Amino acid sequence: MQTHSHNTFRRFVQLLLVVLVIGAGALGSWWVWGREGNADPNRPIHLTVTVPGGNQKRLAIFDAVVREFEKTHPDVKVSVQGIPGGRYYQKVLVMLASRIGPDLMWMGQSFSEFADRGVFLDITSHIENDETLNLTEYNPQALSWYRYDKKQYAIPFGIDMRVMVYNKDLFDEAHLPYPDDDWTFEEFLAVCKKLTVDRDGDGRIDQYGYQGPIELSLFGGKIVEPDGSAAACNCPETIAYIRTALDMFKKYRVSPTPKEQMQQTGLDGYSIFRQRKNAIMMFATWDFASMKKQFANLRWDIVLNPKVRRRGQWVSSQAFMIHRDTKYPDLCWELYRVLSGPAMQERMAFMTIPTHLPTLQKAIANHRGAPKNVAALEKALDRLYPTPRVPHLQELINLYSIACQSVWTGEATPEEAMRTAERQINRTLRRRKR
Amino acid sequence: MMGRQRNLVAFGFLTPNFIGFLVFVFLPVLAAIGLSFFRWDIFHAPEFVGLENYSNLLGGYWEDGTFQWNDPHFWKYLWNTLFLMIGIPVSMALSLFLAIVLNQQIRARNLFRAIFYLPTICAGIALLLLWKFMFNEEFGLINRALAWIGVRGPGWLTSYHWAKPSLMIVSLWTHMGGSSMILYLAGLQCIPPELYEAASIDGAGAWKKFTAITFPLLSPTTFFIFITSVIRGFQGGFESAYIMTEGGPNGATTTIGYYIYNHAFQWFNMGYASTIAMVLFVIILTVTLINWRYGGRKVEYV
Amino acid sequence: MSRKPTHLKQRWRHGASYLFLGVVGVGMLIPLLWMIVTSLRSPDSDIMDYSSLFPAPQPTLAQRDVRSPELLVRALVKEGRANPSSQAGRIWSRLGEKDREELATMAKTGGELDFFQAEALLEILNVLLGDPELYSPKVFPYPTLPADAQAILRDADAVGDACSRDKLAQLSKEDLGRLNRRLFETVFPERIAPAGSVTLENYKVVLTETNFGRALFNSVLVTVCVTFGQLVTSSLAAFAFARLTFFGRDKIFLAYLATMMIPVSVTMIPTFILLRHLGWIDTYAALILPAAFTVYGTFLLRQFFMGLPVELEEAAVLDGCGTLRIYWHVALPLSKPAMAALAILTIMGSWRTFMWPLIVAQTPEHFTLPVALTKFQGIFGTEWTFLMAGGVIMIVPMLLIFFFGQRFFVSGLRVGAVKG
């Protein structure tokens, strides 16, 4: 026993020693490596920009624009951090909460949640003092989304729009004309019915006419009041919307069950469309970059929403924000102008819709390849329905969408569900009121 | 040794860990406890609200003659969490079985161990994504296989009743060869082989050996695995639901852990999130103490 | 004693074991295989397409397909203009007026194309790939075509005289794109790489575009330090909790255990703020220290130490050993399997941990592998093939450590104990 246990023990000690040596070596090299950059007192000014990761081209564009900025500002080093998309807001939140936020940060739809809490720099005076900037050239509606109490917090660089994408080959096979931007819901439904096919006759539909949400705004429906004071979902319009959405898969059977964000987000959505599981599908402009690659084998184009009670498109927007506590507000503004300016927007064009109107027109004129119908995006700019930017938006929408799901799964009628949602939203609002 | 000296020696052993524990574990926990009495949106200064968070979470009110919870979702999600924990004993049994099989003198033992540990190594977004594909109602692998034998598979992740079992399958598959198996293997290594030899001479069969030697001697390990699994079970279910179902359909796969995450990082209700965490803490503590009292007594230390 | 039945029984048992292990093992192997396959596919392929293991790549051109785009542009412009009846001339003639101008300016500027020029060039070429009139039998006689392009024409019944515009226009976009791409490859063989179904592109991107070396170094450093810290501090504390009696032992242990019951979501921000006050944000200390003192390890080793036979310890005490020597010479060697298990679990856990490094590391200098490799996961679309390549890169070292590590650790004690 003695010798053997001694033997094992010796090996154990050897192992510990090996670990120690590696650890010490690593620590030593850290001493050399890790501190290297901090030694120089005259180091250049560092600015940090956070953007969500993902599409390589998007990241490359941000990077290229920033590198150009660095060329004109040799004393500035800008680091663009691509943060995994799923955790983007969480990371930014923690950074902001401990006041070490990035100097500039990308913001999408969750902007209002942050703006409400005063973490962004008010750029109104910068805008007024900048002679090179002509705000009238920008989409006024998109600008207004970033105005709080007469303070401007951002100049958005892109509008994201949800549009229907259709597969031209499937329309050809069914001898249907391609849809028109001025179509109505009845026409849409008729097309969907014709494009819903059970190819092998096993009673299981192989190709649906349409997959995706029908926009709430087409019905004039609301979730919360625009001022965020109370729930507004228990109204006939919203209920009509839910009823129609339900009919799409229950009554007409032209759509798969609304899995809302469950099976159609991200990659599965592309695969489903690419493998001809549906003829028309809801995507958004931010999908275009991926779709260009994913749908290279298909003939596809975009079309605006059909008219239900009115015409409309759901939109969101993208903008950079300057952190209120940044050490270099003026420098940030210069970088900001580059990151949101026309040149950058032109390069981003149709991964997101330029907000700078001359750039938009130029981009439409210069556009080549799929989707052809980019002019429709400009046409839709006067009928935009963004989700209202009110405080506690995400939490309220969550309550609403849970209620909707209870309708999809058959546990509640639209009326019951909206009554529940209304009550819960109002209770939550009362609770969160300061 | 004198009592005082004994204390000193013991604290000497404890100190390196204890300091780290105090700073990096205990202090933040204290902060979280404190926060549960505040309303804090992370950006503004916390505002003391006393027990308001607790009453918002646990209280109820009468409306039209029926009782309504202030936060009905909490109870639903608590139930979801408990339901998903049914998988724990099954997973532990499978881990033990795997460990016993892999503890035999068989060829390619190390290779098999590595293979079974693979899901734990690979775990993460990629793997959950694969499962999401496999569960796809229309053209997922599972439903295709079922269709082949003439069964029409359900929408695994999209139907209210199948979503929870589906997540349980995923967690079972991921965890049965994971840390529990490793710990059981380590536990099995610690059992002196003489005991089995003696039992063989007494003519004991495999099952008898298992019930008389293996299982009792593994009880400290089992106890540990059970306690940690229960703790994790109460807190877990976030990753898989976040990626595969986003907590749906109709909240069927939202667990308390997910709910806390949402309040903390999506909805900026840090105080409320802490309150839920505290209520969860009390529940876990109660369960653990019961385990300790009754389960711990049966644990045999040689 | 009858030897044979036991032998037979053992055989049966082994057979059953292998069957079981094989079946379950295959199920466990699927994810890794899937990740490897996906990571070898072309970046624009549909990762849910299982019509074949490596589907033919999309008939598009990406930056990676073009070698020195500036030379391609110059060749295109020069040859296209100079010789209208040549193959390059045909391509040039199918371009729109505006595209020709743009290419001409690009060719004139000289030097390398910047990112945006290269993108514009690809856009122009990709539109051309969908052009049914790019192929003309006069310019590209059938026999001069590569075999696969010939096959496409044969399938479309568009060979030789039968080749008409209508037939080509009826080609599926996929075949048309493939045909046209082959034409490009034939005309500019030096510039455009032939499309392959299996590609190492994903690995190349992951290794070059993520500050990979630094992240690998960070990950190794953090994992080694955390594991070492855990093993040392946890085993010391566990020994105290399991083998020593002292004032308030069980209460302190309960406090340890209780902290495990609070979810990380609510302690994350307090911990972060604490580290900020310590000035440790974006340092290795922040990556290592909070992970080096876990309750889990202490609890685990305590359980194992409690299982050690008391007699050994008593014998050691009689021999006049101090507490430290008992810990060092008795408790540790005897719980080697447990230490090994904790080491493996810690290494794996620390190697994979994502959330905390993501929050704490602010500059790429302190990113660990999981943080660096997930930057391809986006809000608007994710580059799955890159993500999978990153995943495989992450897994391989762990698999090796696990495979060889367990042999090194686990078998030792067994031998010692049997013979002892």
Side-chain angles (χ1 to χ4, degrees):
Chain A
M1 168 104 200
Q2 266 302 324
T3 52
H4 283 288
S5 105
H6 216 79
N7 228 340
T8 37
F9 182 56
R10 221 165 56 203
R11 268 167 70 187
F12 185 71
V13 171
Q14 280 168 359
L15 180 83
L16 279 183
L17 274 177
V18 168
V19 171
L20 249 179
V21 168
I22 297 177
L27 267 173
S29 47
W30 164 61
W31 205 251
V32 181
W33 272 39
R35 299 156 52 91
E36 191 179 41
N38 304 342
D40 178 16
N42 301 321
R43 62 172 190 218
I45 297 169
H46 279 273
L47 293 181
T48 309
V49 184
T50 51
V51 295
N55 187 282
Q56 205 190 2
K57 190 175 164 192
R58 257 177 73 92
L59 286 177
I61 293 179
F62 287 133
D63 221 50
V65 170
V66 162
R67 294 292 91 84
E68 283 171 13
F69 176 81
E70 279 180 341
K71 264 180 215 156
T72 54
H73 296 75
D75 54 334
V76 184
K77 276 214 57 77
V78 185
S79 97
V80 181
Q81 289 182 27
I83 293 167
R87 303 300 188 132
Y88 180 77
Y89 287 112
Q90 186 179 355
K91 160 103 179 171
V92 171
L93 171 70
V94 177
M95 286 169 84
L96 290 174
S98 34
R99 311 207 177 284
I100 52 164
D103 299 287
L104 263 79
M105 63 208 105
W106 176 94
M107 280 279 145
Q109 216 205 331
S110 293
F111 151 75
S112 59
E113 305 270 342
F114 287 88
D116 181 38
R117 290 159 173 88
V119 293
F120 302 131
L121 187 74
D122 168 16
I123 56 171
T124 320
S125 62
H126 282 106
I127 292 174
E128 280 161 6
N129 296 336
D130 194 324
E131 283 158 16
T132 58
L133 180 67
N134 182 3
L135 263 200
T136 55
E137 286 178 347
Y138 287 81
N139 183 305
Q141 208 182 344
L143 281 174
S144 73
W145 297 331
Y146 293 88
R147 205 172 295 134
Y148 266 76
D149 303 333
K150 292 183 184 156
K151 290 175 187 156
Q152 190 75 32
Y153 287 101
I155 303 168
F157 67 86
I159 297 175
D160 292 316
M161 189 184 292
R162 268 201 275 203
V163 285
M164 290 183 172
V165 173
Y166 64 97
N167 186 331
K168 284 183 170 180
D169 289 332
L170 295 180
F171 274 76
D172 289 344
E173 279 170 29
H175 304 291
L176 287 170
Y178 299 143
D180 183 277
D181 288 327
D182 295 324
W183 59 345
T184 62
F185 186 75
E186 288 68 34
E187 289 165 352
F188 166 69
L189 197 59
V191 167
C192 285
K193 282 179 182 164
K194 280 181 196 146
L195 287 170
T196 302
V197 187
D198 175 10
R199 286 203 199 90
D200 48 10
D202 64 351
R204 207 174 175 136
I205 292 168
D206 300 297
Q207 174 194 313
Y208 283 104
Y210 175 67
Q211 180 162 347
I214 311 254
E215 302 291 355
L216 178 65
S217 61
L218 300 178
F219 296 79
K222 279 186 279 188
I223 301 172
V224 284
E225 295 296 346
D227 61 354
S229 59
C233 59
N234 193 9
C235 63
E237 291 84 9
T238 305
I239 290 172
Y241 152 74
I242 294 177
R243 183 138 290 154
T244 311
L246 196 62
D247 285 346
M248 289 294 283
F249 73 96
K250 272 247 164 87
K251 190 165 146 201
Y252 310 124
R253 294 181 38 105
V254 295
S255 281
T257 48
K259 288 144 188 178
E260 287 242 291
Q261 310 156 16
M262 287 189 47
Q263 297 223 326
Q264 46 185 301
T265 44
L267 179 97
D268 327 34
Y270 305 138
S271 293
I272 287 167
F273 188 77
R274 183 163 151 167
Q275 299 182 15
R276 296 154 59 110
K277 301 283 176 189
N278 54 47
I280 310 172
M281 193 162 172
M282 186 66 90
F283 283 102
T285 42
W286 60 67
D287 292 310
F288 284 0
S290 303
M291 281 154 68
K292 260 189 189 172
K293 293 195 301 179
Q294 289 277 330
F295 300 166
N297 277 342
L298 305 174
R299 294 184 170 93
W300 61 280
D301 207 346
I302 56 172
V303 61
L304 297 181
N305 288 334
K307 178 185 176 189
V308 184
R309 292 193 187 171
R310 63 184 185 198
R311 297 195 175 278
Q313 302 293 130
W314 179 89
V315 286
S316 167
S317 50
Q318 303 181 38
F320 280 98
M321 306 284 159
I322 302 179
H323 188 209
R324 194 192 49 195
D325 297 344
T326 180
K327 275 188 235 155
Y328 314 100
D330 294 329
L331 201 57
C332 281
W333 172 249
E334 282 180 47
L335 178 57
Y336 189 93
R337 290 281 288 122
V338 176
L339 272 174
S340 308
M344 150 84 177
Q345 291 193 17
E346 192 183 342
R347 288 154 177 184
M348 274 284 181
F350 297 114
M351 278 190 258
T352 181
I353 307 169
T355 54
H356 185 245
L357 299 169
T359 305
L360 173 62
Q361 266 128 31
K362 198 170 152 200
I364 290 175
N366 289 340
H367 179 76
R368 34 173 113 71
K372 263 209 179 66
N373 193 15
V374 284
L377 298 174
E378 190 193 8
K379 200 161 80 183
L381 284 182
D382 56 0
R383 38 168 123 144
L384 304 182
Y385 294 99
T387 317
R389 302 191 176 213
V390 298
H392 314 296
L393 178 71
Q394 303 295 334
E395 189 176 3
L396 304 183
I397 290 208
N398 179 264
L399 293 170
Y400 163 78
S401 82
I402 287 182
C404 284
Q405 287 179 20
S406 73
V407 179
W408 313 145
T409 53
E411 279 165 285
T413 66
E415 288 81 4
E416 285 166 5
M418 286 305 106
R419 224 174 302 137
T420 314
E422 181 186 37
R423 195 178 57 220
Q424 288 176 347
I425 289 177
N426 284 337
R427 283 190 68 81
T428 305
L429 279 173
R430 232 173 296 143
R431 228 183 267 169
R432 303 280 170 260
K433 208 172 277 168
R434 288 192 149 261
Chain B
M1 266 193 289
M2 298 287 293
R4 216 148 120 217
Q5 197 190 346
R6 222 169 45 195
N7 280 348
L8 263 177
V9 170
F11 279 116
F13 273 85
L14 204 53
T15 310
N17 193 279
F18 194 65
I19 292 174
F21 167 79
L22 269 188
V23 176
F24 298 115
V25 184
F26 202 65
L27 270 184
V29 164
L30 279 186
I33 296 174
L35 278 176
S36 70
F37 301 100
F38 284 85
R39 181 157 29 174
W40 189 37
D41 70 353
I42 300 176
F43 299 108
H44 295 108
E47 173 194 353
F48 185 74
V49 291
L51 290 173
E52 193 189 298
N53 285 337
Y54 286 89
S55 80
N56 280 340
L57 179 64
L58 301 171
Y61 60 96
W62 290 91
E63 191 181 275
D64 307 332
T66 52
F67 183 73
Q68 302 278 353
W69 291 108
N70 277 345
D71 188 343
H73 295 125
F74 171 73
W75 302 100
K76 183 174 181 176
Y77 301 154
L78 187 60
W79 161 245
N80 288 345
T81 311
L82 288 171
F83 189 95
L84 285 169
M85 282 166 63
I86 299 174
I88 291 176
V90 184
S91 157
M92 283 175 66
L94 281 172
S95 300
L96 177 57
F97 183 67
L98 272 182
I100 290 176
V101 172
L102 285 175
N103 200 39
Q104 301 177 91
Q105 292 292 345
I106 55 173
R107 243 176 255 171
R109 191 165 68 150
N110 285 357
L111 181 70
F112 276 119
R113 284 183 192 164
I115 289 175
F116 289 121
Y117 197 59
L118 258 181
T120 313
I121 301 180
C122 305
I125 171 165
L127 204 78
L128 293 171
L129 189 82
L130 172 65
W131 273 104
K132 189 178 170 187
F133 291 168
M134 302 227 290
F135 278 133
N136 190 298
E137 183 175 0
E138 301 297 326
F139 47 124
L141 207 64
I142 294 178
N143 277 0
R144 273 192 196 169
L146 285 177
W148 198 54
I149 55 167
V151 179
R152 190 181 169 147
W156 292 94
L157 295 175
T158 52
S159 94
Y160 189 78
H161 299 288
W162 281 104
K164 273 196 277 280
S166 304
L167 288 195
M168 266 159 75
I169 293 175
V170 174
S171 115
L172 210 62
W173 176 87
T174 316
H175 291 135
M176 74 181 199
S179 59
S180 320
M181 186 191 79
I182 302 279
L183 294 174
Y184 270 131
L185 273 171
L188 287 171
Q189 298 283 332
C190 287
I191 300 178
E194 300 88 353
L195 291 178
Y196 291 109
E197 283 161 24
S200 291
I201 293 168
D202 290 347
W207 177 248
K208 178 84 189 153
K209 278 188 211 160
F210 175 74
T211 52
I213 302 172
T214 315
F215 195 70
L217 288 189
L218 280 179
S219 55
T221 315
T222 308
F223 184 63
F224 171 81
I225 296 176
F226 188 70
I227 297 244
T228 49
S229 300
V230 167
I231 291 176
R232 282 186 187 171
F234 269 114
Q235 298 175 1
F238 170 68
E239 275 276 289
S240 49
Y242 184 65
I243 290 168
M244 295 205 293
T245 61
E246 301 196 353
N250 194 8
T253 54
T254 308
T255 58
I256 292 289
Y258 199 148
Y259 197 45
I260 292 176
Y261 171 87
N262 272 344
H263 270 295
F265 294 112
Q266 301 282 321
W267 307 334
F268 307 108
N269 304 321
M270 208 21 128
Y272 196 67
S274 303
T275 310
I276 306 173
M278 287 314 127
V279 172
L280 186 67
F281 165 70
V282 172
I283 297 173
I284 302 178
L285 188 67
T286 316
V287 173
T288 310
L289 284 180
I290 293 173
N291 266 331
W292 204 269
R293 204 43 56 81
Y294 296 99
R297 203 182 278 160
K298 292 202 190 80
V299 171
E300 290 183 32
Y301 301 107
V302 184
Chain C
M1 241 180 13
S2 54
R3 258 172 168 258
K4 217 173 174 189
T6 337
H7 195 66
L8 242 177
K9 221 167 138 190
Q10 193 141 15
R11 268 198 172 172
W12 270 107
R13 203 198 290 165
H14 273 193
S17 297
Y18 278 122
L19 191 71
F20 172 78
L21 292 176
V23 170
V24 181
V26 167
M28 302 270 167
L29 266 178
I30 287 177
L32 182 65
L33 295 179
W34 179 70
M35 286 175 76
I36 292 175
V37 166
T38 311
S39 71
L40 292 173
R41 285 182 170 192
S42 121
D44 49 5
S45 69
D46 179 352
I47 72 165
M48 274 185 80
D49 179 7
Y50 278 89
S51 49
S52 72
L53 215 49
F54 297 102
Q58 298 260 350
T60 50
L61 288 169
Q63 292 215 5
R64 62 178 169 276
D65 299 321
V66 180
R67 296 194 197 107
S68 23
E70 61 281 355
L71 295 182
L72 175 63
V73 174
R74 261 172 250 159
L76 196 64
V77 175
K78 198 175 148 204
E79 291 172 32
R81 275 180 178 162
N83 198 349
S85 65
S86 77
Q87 306 183 334
R90 178 78 185 172
I91 291 174
W92 183 252
S93 72
R94 295 301 305 162
L95 285 169
E97 192 56 46
K98 226 157 80 196
D99 293 342
R100 276 187 227 168
E101 268 169 40
E102 194 166 346
L103 290 181
T105 22
M106 258 187 239
K108 238 181 274 165
T109 43
E112 281 188 24
L113 298 189
D114 67 20
F115 172 80
F116 301 104
Q117 288 174 320
E119 277 293 314
L121 167 69
L122 289 172
E123 295 256 299
I124 292 171
L125 296 183
N126 276 327
V127 172
L128 221 51
L129 284 180
D131 182 356
E133 294 179 40
L134 193 69
Y135 172 74
S136 148
K138 273 184 218 127
V139 188
F140 305 98
Y142 179 77
T144 64
L145 289 175
D148 51 346
Q150 287 181 355
I152 293 171
L153 288 178
R154 262 203 314 278
D155 290 344
D157 195 19
V159 181
D161 296 338
C163 177
S164 65
R165 279 182 188 182
D166 302 345
K167 290 246 167 73
L168 282 174
Q170 274 169 19
L171 272 179
S172 78
K173 195 174 173 202
E174 192 175 352
D175 286 338
L176 188 63
R178 212 155 276 153
L179 172 72
N180 286 344
R181 199 189 147 141
R182 285 303 271 161
L183 296 182
F184 272 117
E185 286 165 17
T186 336
V187 180
F188 304 104
E190 312 264 285
R191 300 286 145 251
I192 295 180
S197 302
V198 180
T199 167
L200 288 176
E201 174 68 22
N202 303 313
Y203 289 93
K204 210 176 109 196
V205 169
V206 165
L207 293 181
T208 52
E209 287 188 17
T210 56
N211 203 356
F212 183 82
R214 187 60 191 253
L216 178 69
F217 167 77
N218 290 343
S219 266
V220 172
L221 174 73
V222 168
T223 303
V224 167
C225 294
V226 166
T227 310
F228 186 70
Q230 274 238 23
L231 285 182
V232 171
T233 65
S234 296
S235 67
L236 282 169
F239 185 74
F241 281 127
R243 285 312 203 191
L244 306 176
T245 46
F246 57 90
F247 171 76
R249 178 181 79 170
D250 293 342
K251 286 196 185 91
I252 297 179
F253 186 68
L254 193 67
Y256 259 65
L257 213 53
T259 55
M260 275 178 88
M261 302 169 194
I262 311 264
V264 188
S265 300
V266 292
T267 55
M268 181 178 280
I269 289 191
T271 316
F272 191 85
I273 292 177
L274 177 80
L275 290 181
R276 196 199 65 201
H277 282 299
L278 292 172
W280 283 2
I281 299 301
D282 203 24
T283 61
Y284 284 110
L287 288 170
I288 294 166
L289 287 178
F293 306 95
T294 58
V295 177
Y296 183 85
T298 311
F299 184 22
L300 169 68
L301 291 179
R302 172 191 180 265
Q303 289 305 99
F304 273 91
F305 286 155
M306 288 187 80
L308 295 179
V310 191
E311 299 82 30
L312 282 177
E313 201 180 315
E314 282 165 354
V317 172
L318 284 181
D319 284 354
C321 284
T323 320
L324 198 61
R325 283 184 69 186
I326 297 179
Y327 161 79
W328 192 246
H329 288 291
V330 181
L332 273 194
L334 282 177
S335 355
K336 247 183 59 183
M339 295 285 278
L342 179 62
I344 285 187
L345 294 181
T346 312
I347 291 174
M348 304 289 160
S350 161
W351 184 255
R352 295 190 318 122
T353 185
F354 164 68
M355 206 53 234
W356 182 249
L358 172 70
I359 297 283
V360 150
Q362 306 295 336
T363 50
E365 283 75 52
H366 293 102
F367 281 178
T368 56
L369 274 182
V371 178
L373 296 184
T374 40
K375 84 164 192 186
F376 301 108
Q377 181 204 338
I379 292 181
F380 307 135
T382 294
E383 303 273 10
W384 293 110
T385 52
F386 300 159
L387 214 58
M388 295 301 165
V392 173
I393 293 177
M394 287 277 302
I395 287 168
V396 169
M398 284 304 102
L399 209 55
L400 292 178
I401 287 187
F402 186 78
F403 186 78
F404 292 108
Q406 56 163 325
R407 185 189 320 184
F408 178 75
F409 278 120
V410 177
S411 51
L413 182 102
R414 198 176 179 82
V415 177
V418 171
K419 291 187 182 164

